[in-house]
């Protein structure tokens, strides 16, 4: 099992930036892909960005050119740099990791964008 702990959420003004971090521990050797989802109250969770072990990244269209995912394998950590944040964006961000016989999630971190 892999434990994931997010950090970096908080309150930011519209147009501002935040950087989220997600540190993995436990059976990290099993991890292949790490990424971020987000969810607004009453809505389904959506994929924001992914970072595969072979270096390929993917983003949902709504965040392209504003968000950047990066990964430090030595630290078992994935980051999400978020720029030009909008008040209408979903507010709870979840880190996840999938790989060999594993699929784990963090508890989420709240991002509040004020207008």
């Amino acid at each position: 099992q892999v434990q994931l702990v997010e950090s970096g959420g908080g309150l930011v003004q519209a147009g501002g930036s935040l950087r989220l971090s997600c540190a993995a521990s436990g059976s990290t050797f099993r991890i292949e892909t790490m990424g971020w989802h987000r969810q607004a109250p009453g809505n389904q969770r959506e994929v924001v960005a992914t970072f595969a072990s072979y270096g390929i990244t993917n983003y949902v269209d709504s965040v392209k050119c504003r968000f950047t995912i990066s990964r430090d394998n030595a630290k078992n950590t994935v980051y999400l740099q978020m720029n030009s944040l909008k008040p209408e964006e979903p507010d709870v961000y979840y880190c996840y990791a999938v790989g060999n016989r594993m699929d784990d999630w963090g508890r989420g971190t709240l991002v509040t964008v004020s207008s």
Side-chain angles (χ1 to χ4, degrees):
Q1 189 177 5
V2 171
Q3 294 77 45
L4 301 169
V5 178
E6 303 102 334
S7 61
L11 175 65
V12 64
Q13 289 188 336
S17 299
L18 280 177
R19 187 192 193 208
L20 305 182
S21 300
C22 172
S25 61
S27 301
T28 57
F29 62 92
R30 297 186 180 276
I31 297 175
E32 296 174 359
T33 296
M34 297 186 75
W36 295 88
H37 282 63
R38 64 185 181 181
Q39 186 173 22
N43 290 352
Q44 287 188 333
R45 200 171 290 188
E46 65 172 7
V47 175
V48 179
T50 61
F51 198 119
S53 59
Y54 43 88
I56 299 297
T57 59
N58 282 289
Y59 299 88
V60 67
D61 285 346
S62 59
V63 307
K64 286 180 179 178
C65 300
R66 297 189 298 122
F67 290 13
T68 302
I69 189 170
S70 59
R71 182 170 171 179
D72 186 334
N73 290 326
K75 295 181 179 180
N76 295 311
T77 300
V78 66
Y79 306 93
L80 186 68
Q81 176 66 43
M82 305 185 295
N83 300 326
S84 302
L85 284 161
K86 304 174 182 179
E88 63 270 23
E89 297 192 272
D91 54 3
V92 182
Y93 286 74
Y94 298 90
C95 174
Y96 77 98
V98 297
N100 184 14
R101 299 181 183 179
M102 54 84 50
D103 180 356
D104 291 300
W105 292 80
R107 294 186 175 184
T109 186
L110 180 64
V111 174
T112 303
V113 184
S114 63
S115 56

